[in-house]
């Protein structure tokens, strides 16, 4: 049961934080939290991690990422049920990944993109923005 509760907690935290960002920040707006190191910023990521495949046409990109997300979710359930039922730490890790996959899938279904808002940087060197699901 803790597997499902953990995944649900990730989804709820992910969606609540994204909803706050969408309602309270304008697209591209940022709030410095630790100047020179960490900001909250509202961006949409049409691609996968680090914007991979963001340049694909939306009509191809969106269905592709939805299908990949659904496949990942199914594979997580199958893998856990076959190999990890009694392995608590590995199941916890998969629950976190499952929650993230579901959270980003919800964004893709709502916006055809993923809301990212955590921006870690060192002056001009930026890690790509990410979110709780990541």
């Amino acid at each position: 049961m803790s597997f499902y509760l953990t995944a649900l907690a990730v989804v709820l935290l992910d969606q609540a934080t994204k909803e706050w960002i969408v309602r309270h920040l304008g697209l591209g707006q940022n709030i410095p939290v630790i100047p020179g190191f960490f900001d909250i910023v509202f961006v949409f990521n049409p691609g996968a991690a680090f914007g991979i495949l963001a340049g694909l046409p939306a009509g191809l990109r969106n269905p592709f990422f939805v299908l990949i997300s659904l496949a990942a979710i199914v594979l997580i359930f199958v893998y856990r049920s076959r190999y990890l039922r009694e392995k608590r730490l590995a199941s916890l890790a998969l629950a976190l990944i499952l929650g993230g996959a579901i959270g980003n899938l919800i964004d893709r279904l709502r916006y055809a993109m993923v809301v990212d808002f955590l921006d870690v940087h060192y002056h001009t060197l930026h890690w790509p923005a990410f979110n709780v699901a990541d």
Side-chain angles (χ1 to χ4, degrees):
M1 184 57 89
S2 63
F3 173 79
Y4 300 105
L5 291 175
T6 300
L8 179 62
V10 171
V11 172
L12 293 176
L13 180 62
D14 176 65
Q15 290 299 298
T17 55
K18 289 173 179 175
E19 186 65 23
W20 189 92
I21 294 298
V22 169
R23 287 180 184 253
H24 293 92
L25 270 69
L27 190 59
Q29 180 182 355
N30 74 312
I31 301 169
V33 178
I34 303 172
F37 182 72
F38 176 66
D39 296 345
I40 302 294
V41 61
F42 176 16
V43 295
F44 278 118
N45 179 2
F50 310 114
I52 295 170
L53 302 178
L56 287 177
L60 178 63
R61 182 185 64 234
N62 297 337
F64 173 74
F65 285 129
V66 167
L67 287 174
I68 291 294
S69 297
L70 291 171
I73 291 165
V74 168
L75 288 172
I76 288 168
F77 280 113
V78 169
Y79 187 79
R80 181 181 175 268
S81 69
R82 287 189 182 172
Y83 304 109
L84 300 179
R85 265 211 170 307
E86 302 304 318
K87 299 186 179 181
R88 296 181 62 114
L89 188 58
S91 286
L92 172 63
L94 275 185
L96 295 171
I97 294 167
L98 175 63
I102 293 170
N104 283 344
L105 174 61
I106 291 168
D107 281 14
R108 291 204 184 276
L109 295 172
R110 284 180 75 187
Y111 306 114
M113 295 180 263
V114 173
V115 175
D116 285 333
F117 60 91
L118 301 170
D119 181 26
V120 177
H121 56 91
Y122 181 71
H123 299 289
T124 60
L125 301 172
H126 279 258
W127 185 259
F130 58 100
N131 58 53
V132 172
D134 298 333

